[in-house]
Amino acid sequence: MAAPQKLSHLLQLADQGPVMRAALAEEVAELLVNWPSDYPQSMRGVCEALLAKAARDVDSATRARLRVQLFSDPELTARVLPRECATLMLVDAARKGDNDGVVKSLAQAIGVDDAMARQVLDDESGAALAVACKGSGLDRAAFSALALMAHPGRDRAHAYAVLDAFDNVPTSEATRVLRGWRENQRAA
């Protein structure tokens, strides 16, 4: 499809209201990841703005899918799907000792259900939390706060070993594992 027709199609989807936001967001994300060489770069900015606006209107599961879809371009992901809110909610809930809030916020941030988020937090090694955080794009600061606050009674050596887990997990592997967790939940 030629660039003007594609842009017109995307704008028509945007005009169809909230019902079509997920479809619009996923289609625009796919276009941005596989930008056709014959499309003008000026149109790219319009598409990014359209994706950022649509992403605000979709649910957390759709935002999680968009993060996976945009994985190859972390700068684009940061522009159109900012993470500050999820990180702040997680760290704030952890600091307050609100275990249910931490579980719900983590589940929302990584795109899994509450039971899976609880399993991730209960892993004494910190490996599951490292995979979840790194695979979903949460930063090391959020991981560290969650790891230390989820199990406050750890001795210093164990705490350092858990914190090292984040650095030892390759991002590509974390993303693949997290995607598998999500797919298994959908299948169940």
Side-chain angles (χ1 to χ4, degrees):
M1 183 180 295
Q5 288 85 7
K6 183 65 169 185
L7 186 56
S8 177
H9 166 72
L10 294 172
L11 292 173
Q12 286 174 352
L13 277 178
D15 286 340
Q16 292 183 15
V19 173
M20 296 302 291
R21 291 292 191 260
L24 171 66
E26 290 177 0
E27 189 169 338
V28 173
E30 178 66 28
L31 177 64
L32 288 168
V33 168
N34 300 303
W35 192 257
S37 60
D38 61 331
Y39 278 26
Q41 287 301 312
S42 60
M43 187 174 132
R44 191 172 172 88
V46 173
C47 289
E48 285 187 25
L50 194 57
L51 177 56
K53 183 172 180 358
R56 286 191 298 267
D57 296 335
V58 298
D59 62 7
S60 59
T62 302
R63 278 192 296 280
R65 283 194 310 274
L66 289 169
R67 282 190 202 316
V68 171
Q69 195 172 0
L70 295 171
F71 173 76
S72 64
D73 192 342
E75 291 173 5
L76 172 64
T77 305
R79 284 193 305 272
V80 298
L81 297 165
R83 279 241 176 238
E84 302 84 38
C85 184
T87 301
L88 290 175
M89 287 186 333
L90 272 167
V91 173
D92 187 49
R95 284 187 181 138
K96 290 178 182 173
D98 179 8
N99 291 335
D100 290 336
V102 170
V103 169
K104 289 191 182 311
S105 295
L106 181 63
Q108 192 171 47
I110 66 174
V112 299
D113 65 19
D114 290 0
M116 179 63 133
R118 169 91 47 215
Q119 288 177 350
V120 166
L121 287 168
D122 287 345
D123 174 27
E124 286 285 332
S125 72
L129 184 59
V131 165
C133 289
K134 206 160 201 180
S136 64
L138 290 172
D139 62 15
R140 191 180 200 292
F143 165 77
S144 298
L146 289 171
L148 294 174
M149 292 177 200
H151 301 282
R154 290 183 172 136
D155 65 24
R156 179 173 273 169
H158 189 211
Y160 284 131
V162 168
L163 293 176
D164 287 342
F166 187 85
D167 297 324
N168 294 331
V169 175
T171 303
S172 59
E173 177 67 11
T175 303
R176 186 189 64 72
V177 170
L178 183 57
R179 188 178 311 126
W181 291 348
R182 291 174 183 149
E183 289 170 359
N184 287 342
Q185 283 194 332
R186 274 187 236 123

